[in-house]
Every structure is written in C-alpha cells, then in structure tokens.
Amino acid sequence: QVQLVEPGGGLVRPGGALNLTCTASGSGDVFAIGWFRQAPGTEREGLAVISSSADSTHYADSVNGRFTISRDSVRTKIYLQMSSLRPEDTTVYYCAIDQAGLYDTVFNPADFDSWGQGTQVTVSL
C-alpha cells in the first residue's frame, strides 16, 4: 500500500501562485496520480491526473491552463503548480493514487485507492 502526505498549502492573494507537493511512500502498483479538492458540502472535484509514466496528463476545465501536475524522476513526489489563483479555489486539496488501474480520463474519486490527508489552500486578500 502506498501512503501519501501533503504538507504545504497556505494563504495566497488572488492572482497569485502556490505549489503543492505530495510525497509517496510504501510499495504497490501505481497507474495514475491525481489531485482533487473538496469544499464543505460538495462532492470531491478532480483537478488533474498524471499517468505513472508521466507521459500523459489530464486537467479539469476549471483549472486547465492555470494548474500543472508533474512528478519527480524517482516517482516519490507529485506536484501541483497553481497560478492565477481565484477566491473560488479556496478549499482542501488532496492527492490520490490509482493502484488498480481504474482511472480512464473521467475524474471519479472512487477509482483512486490511497488518499493524502488534505491540505488547506486559501485565496484571499
């Protein structure tokens, strides 16, 4: 089983940028890694997914062109670079891993097995 930890997050002004890092440990198959977010009372929203080999990425329309997902060469860190942040981007962000090969370009949280604990991002003056 792979464990995920997401330190970081924080407060940023509208129009600013913030980078999130997810660190993976443990063992197991990894088919895709994604970033999601969830505001209170809402469903978990998929933002970006990168394949295990990092040769393909997929973005939600709400963040396409503003957010970039990437991973390091040793495959222990997954990054989410966020720019042009808006107040509506304020919420808790999670990284997640698909260890069963279920993800197929549809942002379904049920396809992801392991989740980080979440990190708060606040966009405000």
Side-chain angles (χ1 to χ4, degrees), residues 21-101:
T21 300
C22 176
T23 301
S25 61
S27 61
D29 293 329
V30 176
F31 292 88
I33 309 98
W35 283 95
F36 292 75
R37 66 187 179 189
Q38 187 172 21
T42 69
E43 294 185 354
R44 193 157 291 189
E45 176 190 9
L47 304 176
V49 174
I50 187 168
S51 63
S52 178
S53 60
D55 61 354
S56 71
T57 55
H58 181 215
Y59 294 94
D61 291 343
S62 59
V63 303
N64 195 23
R66 300 190 299 126
F67 291 11
T68 302
I69 188 171
S70 62
R71 66 180 307 176
D72 67 345
S73 59
V74 296
R75 303 187 180 187
T76 61
K77 294 188 184 297
I78 307 96
Y79 306 105
L80 187 68
Q81 297 172 281
M82 305 185 292
S83 62
S84 302
L85 284 163
R86 308 164 181 166
E88 54 263 39
D89 294 319
T90 296
T91 189
V92 179
Y93 287 68
Y94 301 87
C95 61
I97 284 182
D98 169 17
Q99 294 193 264

Side-chain angles (χ1 to χ4, degrees), residues 98-123:
D98 169 17
Q99 294 193 264
L102 298 178
Y103 173 73
D104 186 20
T105 74
V106 175
F107 288 114
N108 183 1
D111 291 340
F112 292 78
D113 318 274
S114 299
W115 291 83
Q117 81 283 3
T119 187
Q120 176 70 41
V121 172
T122 301
V123 184

